[in-house]
Amino acid sequence: MPPKKAPVQEKKSILGRPSNNLKVGIVGLPNVGKSSFFNVLSDTDLGKAANFPYATINPEEARIPVPDPRFDWLCESYKPTSKVPAFLTCIDIAGLTAGASTGAGLGNAFLSHVRAVDGIFQVVRAFDDAEVIHVEGDVDPLRDMEIIQTELRLKDIEWVEKHLEGLKRGGRSLGNTSLADKAKKEEIATVEKVLKTITDESKDVRKAEWTNKEIDVVNSMQLLTAKPVTYLVNLSEKDYIRKKNKWLPKIKAWIDQNNPGDPLIPFSVSLEERLAQLSPEEKEEEQKKIGAPSALGKITNAGYQMLDLIRYFTCGPDEVRAWTIRRGTKAPQAAGVIHSDFENKFICGEIMSYGDLKEHGSEAAVKAAGKLRQQGKPYEMQDGDIAYWKAGG
C-alpha cells in the first residue's frame, strides 16, 4: 500500500487588508509628541507641532524609507543610476481624548482615520515638561494607554452590535438547506464571538484565536482593535540616554497583562529633533558621544514587521529597487507590484537569495553554483529575494 499522504497544513490567514500598500497611523493623546515624532520621522514640518490639543486635524501622510543594510550592499555592488529603498507609509492622526467613541473632541473624525490605517504606532508620553500641557492634567502613561484601549474598544463594540443587529434582522428567515444560508449563520456566529471577545473577555480582537474562515469575517469589519500595535514610549533625552525611567517597567507590565507580545520601543522625540538639525557626519558623531543611537530606523523597521511586510529586490546598472509585498505573496502577485502586465502574463521568475549573492559575489558566480532558480506561479516569495521576471508579450 502506498504511504498515506500527510495532511496539507492550511496556511494561516492574516488579520487586515490583503494589500501591499499598507499604512501605519501614529496615535496617542494630544501633546504626547506625535506630530513632533512624525516631523522627525518624515524630515518635514507637516504635522503642525503646536502646544494645544487637535493641532493635527487632517491626517498628514508621509512615505518613510526603511533602512536595510542589504539594500545598501546591493547599491554598492551594482552602483546603479537610481536607488529606490522600501518605504513605510505613516499617517499623523489627531490626538484622541477620553469620550472619543461618543464623539467628544474630534472623536468621530479621529476614529474614522484610525479605521483607514492598517497598524498603529501608539505614542505614550513618559516625560515631564511644564511647558507642554497634558490634556489630562498630569503625566500618567498607564492611564493614557487605558483611555486609548477603552475608546477603540468602545467604538468596535458599537460597530459590531450594529452589524450583528443587521445580520440578525436579515437572518430570521434563514433555513438550513442552502449553502448561502449556512454561510450567513456562520457569519452571525463569528460576529457574536467577536462581540463576546471585546465585551465579556475584555480582549482586543487581534489577541483572540481565529480560524481562517472567521478571519475573513473579521477582516470585512475593519475593526480598530484588530490592528497590530507597537508602543512607542516618548522619554526625555536624559532618560533615553541613561536607559532609565520610572514608568518603563510599569508600561511593560501593563502591556504584558493587557496585550502580551506587543512590541515596546523607548525613544526620545527631543533627542530625535536635536539630531535632525545635524549633518549626517555630525549626527554620527553626536550619537557616539552620548552613547545612544537614534531610534527612528528601529521604529520604521518595527512598523514594517508589524504589518507583515517583506521586500524583494530588482537589481541592475540602471536601478536597484526594493519592492514591498505582504508575507506569503506568490511570485505572480509580487511581479504585479511592478506592473499588472507582469502578473497577468507571468511566465516565471529567475530568483536568487540575497545571502547567495553576497556569499558568491556576483550573479555569474551564483549561476555557476546552481543557486539561480527558475520559479513558477506557486512560488512564495521570501524576504530578500532578488528577482528577474519573465512575462509574455
Side-chain angles (χ1 to χ4, degrees), residues 39-54:
N39 292 346
V40 290
L41 193 58
S42 58
D43 251 349
T44 65
D45 197 14
L46 285 169
K48 302 180 190 64
N51 184 14
F52 58 91
Y54 321 129

Side-chain angles (χ1 to χ4, degrees), residues 122-155:
Q122 191 179 135
V123 180
V124 182
R125 175 174 169 177
F127 66 89
D128 290 306
D129 184 342
E131 303 263 305
V132 182
I133 56 170
H134 192 293
V135 71
E136 293 289 326
D138 60 341
V139 173
D140 180 348
L142 304 187
R143 174 205 56 216
D144 296 357
M145 289 156 86
E146 285 286 352
I147 287 174
I148 289 182
Q149 177 154 295
T150 303
E151 293 303 325
L152 298 185
R153 215 176 267 169
L154 285 173
K155 200 67 193 173

Side-chain angles (χ1 to χ4, degrees), residues 187-206:
E187 186 182 350
I188 291 171
T190 300
V191 177
E192 282 174 333
K193 181 177 166 183
V194 170
L195 189 59
K196 187 169 181 263
T197 301
I198 50 183
T199 51
D200 300 356
E201 294 172 21
S202 297
K203 244 189 195 165
D204 281 0
V205 172
R206 65 207 162 86

Side-chain angles (χ1 to χ4, degrees), residues 76-111:
E76 274 167 39
S77 303
Y78 284 88
K79 302 190 172 30
T81 319
S82 159
K83 305 170 183 179
V84 186
F87 289 95
L88 180 70
T89 303
C90 280
I91 296 181
D92 181 20
I93 295 174
L96 171 141
T97 43
S101 54
T102 56
L106 297 162
N108 292 328
F110 168 89
L111 292 163

Side-chain angles (χ1 to χ4, degrees), residues 291-339:
S294 158
L296 296 186
K298 188 178 182 180
I299 290 169
T300 37
N301 264 310
Y304 208 78
Q305 285 160 9
M306 160 171 88
L307 296 176
D308 260 315
L309 296 173
I310 59 171
R311 60 212 120 184
Y312 76 87
F313 304 102
T314 50
C315 303
D318 294 335
E319 182 179 75
V320 167
R321 185 165 184 157
W323 301 90
T324 297
I325 53 174
R326 200 97 195 255
R327 191 180 302 285
T329 301
K330 298 274 200 284
Q333 288 69 43
V337 173
I338 301 177
H339 195 288

